[in-house]
Amino acid sequence: MKQIAFRLNHICQAHFGLRTRAGSIIKTIVPEKKTREQIRLEIEDPFQAERLRQIQLEEDAKNFQQYIYNLKQNDTNPKNFIKVKVNNLDVSKIETNTETENTAPFIVKKIPKQEKILISGIRRKVPASLRRLIPICRPLINMHLYQAQEAIGDSGRKAAQFLAKTLVMVRSHAVQRGYDPERLYVHSIQVGRYKKFKKARFHAKARINPAFRETSQIKVILEERPTKEMFKDFVQGKTPSVISYLMKDQLVREKADYAKIRRFQLFLTAKGRQQQKLMLKRRAQKEMKEKGLSFKYLHRQIIDKEAEQFAENYDTGKSGLHRFNLEARQTLFKKNEEINN
């Protein structure tokens, strides 16, 4: 009896997916009832079921594609586009001719990026480890050279003295090559290990042990930025404090009038820089209401215009100062020649 029940269990599980136990009743699977019309159609066309199944699969795929198209994350659906409202714009239709008079082809020229002007200098055998130099060098990246020198002087660390000497060395090297020190920025600072020097360590009872002294090397790379790029930061209220101090000193020496001091007020004091930021924001908002363009685009455009104007004045002043110094040196040379003769 047990053998028969085991055999029945095995057959039911293999063919019908049913499990039985000894003494249980085996439930038979009732086939699906079909009408006479369905049986007649199956006899006449045996591939009808497969064809209907293929049609159902195509409909399911089409419905799935429509479901994906109606999703909110789909960018191809025009219903999901962002609605833009443009105010105060007179839109007029302009009739254009499809045929152009110019027969010459239109050539698009790719303007290459302006290469950066870099000045580098290396200082070796620095008696300081990387652990002490790296935290000092990181905050100086993309900082103005004068501001970086001031920050190093205020750190109060011994390792900062070696970095300050390196900056002075590279700055003098750049001035000798004819670069403008007021437009120099710290592009990058590379710190690496150098040779280890052997020394003696003395102990009690005339004992001596060898010791090693770690040294490093510092490579400073300065970048001379264009005058317009430099004044872009100044116009946005990011003038370094050292530049402000130098400008104040220059105005005092020139005995400048009130109009000139008012013009450079956005560079001289912290309050002037704050007011400059606020005025730029207000001007951009006013033009945005009038023209209907984006705030970021107008803000950037205003900064470019003001920076370009300041850059032109700066370049003309520098050229005039250079010409004045050259004429003064020539007159002094002539006087010396007359005295010697």
Side-chain angles (χ1 to χ4, degrees), residues 180-241:
D180 189 2
E182 296 180 1
R183 293 191 285 129
L184 293 178
Y185 287 78
V186 180
H187 182 265
S188 63
I189 301 176
Q190 301 175 7
V191 183
R193 289 189 176 89
Y194 199 62
K195 297 178 182 178
K196 289 184 179 181
F197 293 95
K198 190 175 181 181
K199 64 177 185 178
R201 180 175 292 176
F202 300 95
H203 299 278
K205 298 181 180 179
R207 288 181 298 176
I208 302 174
N209 288 335
F212 295 93
R213 179 68 180 271
E214 289 186 3
T215 58
S216 306
Q217 63 177 4
I218 305 172
K219 183 179 182 180
V220 178
I221 302 174
L222 301 180
E223 175 190 358
E224 188 189 34
R225 293 185 182 178
T227 312
K228 185 178 177 181
E229 296 295 328
M230 180 184 70
F231 276 101
K232 273 185 182 180
D233 295 339
F234 293 0
V235 167
Q236 297 180 56
K238 300 177 182 178
T239 309
S241 57

Side-chain angles (χ1 to χ4, degrees), residues 218-267:
I218 305 172
K219 183 179 182 180
V220 178
I221 302 174
L222 301 180
E223 175 190 358
E224 188 189 34
R225 293 185 182 178
T227 312
K228 185 178 177 181
E229 296 295 328
M230 180 184 70
F231 276 101
K232 273 185 182 180
D233 295 339
F234 293 0
V235 167
Q236 297 180 56
K238 300 177 182 178
T239 309
S241 57
V242 182
I243 298 294
S244 300
Y245 175 77
L246 294 174
M247 293 180 72
K248 289 177 188 177
D249 192 19
Q250 185 68 23
L251 291 173
V252 170
R253 289 180 182 179
E254 294 178 358
K255 296 181 180 180
D257 54 351
Y258 175 73
K260 192 171 184 179
I261 294 172
R262 186 181 178 184
R263 184 187 174 194
F264 291 101
Q265 186 68 23
L266 67 149
F267 304 141

Side-chain angles (χ1 to χ4, degrees), residues 77-284:
N77 191 353
K79 295 182 180 179
N80 298 331
F81 291 168
I82 299 173
K83 296 181 180 180
V84 180
K85 198 179 212 179
V86 181
N87 297 326
N88 299 328
L89 279 179
D90 297 332
V91 182
S92 60
K93 294 183 179 180
I94 302 172
E95 295 182 0
T96 57
N97 297 325
T98 54
E99 296 180 1
T100 57
E101 297 179 358
N102 298 329
T103 56
F106 182 74
I107 301 173
V108 178
K109 293 183 179 180
K110 185 178 180 181
I111 301 174
K113 289 185 178 180
Q114 189 177 3
E115 295 184 358
K116 295 182 178 180
I117 302 172
L118 303 177
I119 309 101
S120 61
I122 301 176
R123 183 181 179 87
R124 296 184 175 87
K125 295 184 182 179
V126 178
S129 61
L130 299 180
R131 183 174 59 87
R132 299 184 183 277
L133 286 172
I134 290 174
I136 303 171
C137 298
R138 278 178 179 169
L140 306 180
I141 306 301
N142 295 328
M143 193 181 288
H144 197 276
L145 178 60
Y146 293 159
Q147 192 72 15
Q149 288 178 339
E150 185 187 16
I152 290 173
D154 295 340
S155 64
R157 295 188 179 184
K158 185 178 178 182
Q161 299 176 5
F162 306 110
L163 184 58
K165 292 178 181 178
T166 309
L167 288 175
V168 171
M169 178 188 71
V170 182
R171 178 182 176 275
S172 62
H173 177 60
V175 171
Q176 288 176 3
R177 295 180 64 181
Y179 296 103
D180 189 2
E182 296 180 1
R183 293 191 285 129
L184 293 178
Y185 287 78
V186 180
H187 182 265
S188 63
I189 301 176
Q190 301 175 7
V191 183
R193 289 189 176 89
Y194 199 62
K195 297 178 182 178
K196 289 184 179 181
F197 293 95
K198 190 175 181 181
K199 64 177 185 178
R201 180 175 292 176
F202 300 95
H203 299 278
K205 298 181 180 179
R207 288 181 298 176
I208 302 174
N209 288 335
F212 295 93
R213 179 68 180 271
E214 289 186 3
T215 58
S216 306
Q217 63 177 4
I218 305 172
K219 183 179 182 180
V220 178
I221 302 174
L222 301 180
E223 175 190 358
E224 188 189 34
R225 293 185 182 178
T227 312
K228 185 178 177 181
E229 296 295 328
M230 180 184 70
F231 276 101
K232 273 185 182 180
D233 295 339
F234 293 0
V235 167
Q236 297 180 56
K238 300 177 182 178
T239 309
S241 57
V242 182
I243 298 294
S244 300
Y245 175 77
L246 294 174
M247 293 180 72
K248 289 177 188 177
D249 192 19
Q250 185 68 23
L251 291 173
V252 170
R253 289 180 182 179
E254 294 178 358
K255 296 181 180 180
D257 54 351
Y258 175 73
K260 192 171 184 179
I261 294 172
R262 186 181 178 184
R263 184 187 174 194
F264 291 101
Q265 186 68 23
L266 67 149
F267 304 141
L268 300 178
T269 60
K271 189 174 181 181
R273 292 191 284 270
Q274 185 181 3
Q275 288 180 351
Q276 175 66 12
K277 290 181 183 178
L278 185 61
M279 293 304 294
L280 286 174
K281 186 177 178 181
R282 288 178 179 175
R283 284 175 60 185

Side-chain angles (χ1 to χ4, degrees), residues 18-83:
L18 299 175
R19 292 184 178 181
T20 58
R21 293 182 182 178
S24 63
I25 300 170
I26 302 173
K27 295 182 180 180
T28 58
I29 299 173
V30 180
E32 183 182 358
K33 293 182 179 180
K34 297 182 181 180
T35 61
R36 291 184 178 181
E37 187 66 22
Q38 291 177 352
I39 295 170
R40 184 179 65 78
L41 291 174
E42 287 182 359
I43 293 170
E44 292 178 356
D45 190 1
F47 300 102
Q48 183 182 7
E50 185 66 24
R51 189 165 57 254
L52 293 174
R53 181 171 170 276
Q54 190 69 25
I55 293 170
Q56 187 65 28
L57 289 175
E58 290 177 358
E59 288 182 358
D60 292 344
K62 189 176 180 181
N63 294 333
F64 181 73
Q65 289 179 0
Q66 187 66 27
Y67 168 75
I68 295 296
Y69 181 76
N70 294 331
L71 287 176
K72 293 183 178 180
Q73 295 82 359
N74 189 8
D75 296 335
T76 59
N77 191 353
K79 295 182 180 179
N80 298 331
F81 291 168
I82 299 173
K83 296 181 180 180

